[in-house]
Amino acid sequence: MSSHNVESCVINASLEKVWNALRSQDFKFWSLVKSVEHAASPSEVGSVRNVTFKDGTVQQYRLLELSEIKHSLTYEIVDSEPAVVFLSAQHTLQVSPVTANNTSFVQWISDYSYDGAEAAVLDAKYKKLEALADLAKALEN
């Protein structure tokens, strides 16, 4: 059994601009992130990056998929200090064009193993909403 969460928003920026901000996976737009260190080529499937948050949390993400066609990337959390309460989590960021006005629809989809982690999943929901708002603020025309 798993827990599924989807957060989304429309960003007043072109698909190309939004995708360029996401594909690097450096999370520069996210106010909660202090730094990101890549162990290999950031766009290489299987590459690992350490994301250090301003609260001191360090998480290691492994890239599972990167699609230039679908404008999406999927990563999983492979390690966290402090430890997370769920066994696994996969996250997908996807960008689609809103053709009527050259804006972008962004979805952040997360699937967590269900280990009694409702509070952690709810916390992640609000952090994703904050990250999407930060992305919109960083990229709006």
Side-chain angles (χ1 to χ4, degrees):
M1 182 175 240
S2 66
S3 181
H4 182 77
N5 172 254
V6 179
E7 300 305 328
S8 61
C9 71
V10 173
I11 294 179
N12 188 20
S14 68
L15 173 116
E16 293 78 17
K17 193 172 181 180
V18 177
W19 179 235
N20 285 335
L22 295 176
R23 77 151 55 98
S24 66
Q25 304 153 72
D26 60 16
F27 300 102
K28 286 182 181 179
F29 60 87
W30 195 357
S31 62
L32 295 182
V33 172
K34 180 179 178 183
S35 66
V36 176
E37 296 174 16
H38 298 278
S41 170
S43 61
E44 182 179 326
V45 172
S47 65
V48 175
R49 65 209 21 77
N50 292 319
V51 179
T52 302
F53 292 87
K54 290 180 180 175
D55 70 357
T57 299
V58 179
Q59 293 186 331
Q60 190 174 71
Y61 299 162
R62 178 177 26 239
L63 182 63
L64 299 176
E65 179 182 28
L66 180 71
S67 175
E68 295 291 338
I69 295 170
K70 296 178 184 176
H71 301 102
S72 68
L73 64 92
T74 300
Y75 65 93
E76 67 181 344
I77 298 174
V78 293
D79 194 23
S80 181
E81 185 59 45
V84 291
V85 296
F86 41 83
L87 293 177
S88 65
Q90 287 187 352
H91 304 278
T92 299
L93 286 158
Q94 184 168 3
V95 185
S96 301
V98 179
T99 59
N101 57 8
N102 198 32
T103 59
S104 300
F105 178 71
V106 181
Q107 283 189 301
W108 196 334
I109 305 159
S110 300
D111 289 295
Y112 302 88
S113 61
Y114 189 77
D115 311 291
E118 275 186 57
V121 173
L122 189 59
D123 179 60
K125 168 191 173 93
Y126 292 109
K127 286 179 179 169
K128 285 191 295 188
L129 288 171
E130 182 178 348
L132 291 171
D134 288 346
L135 178 63
K137 187 176 180 181
L139 296 179
E140 287 190 344
N141 297 328

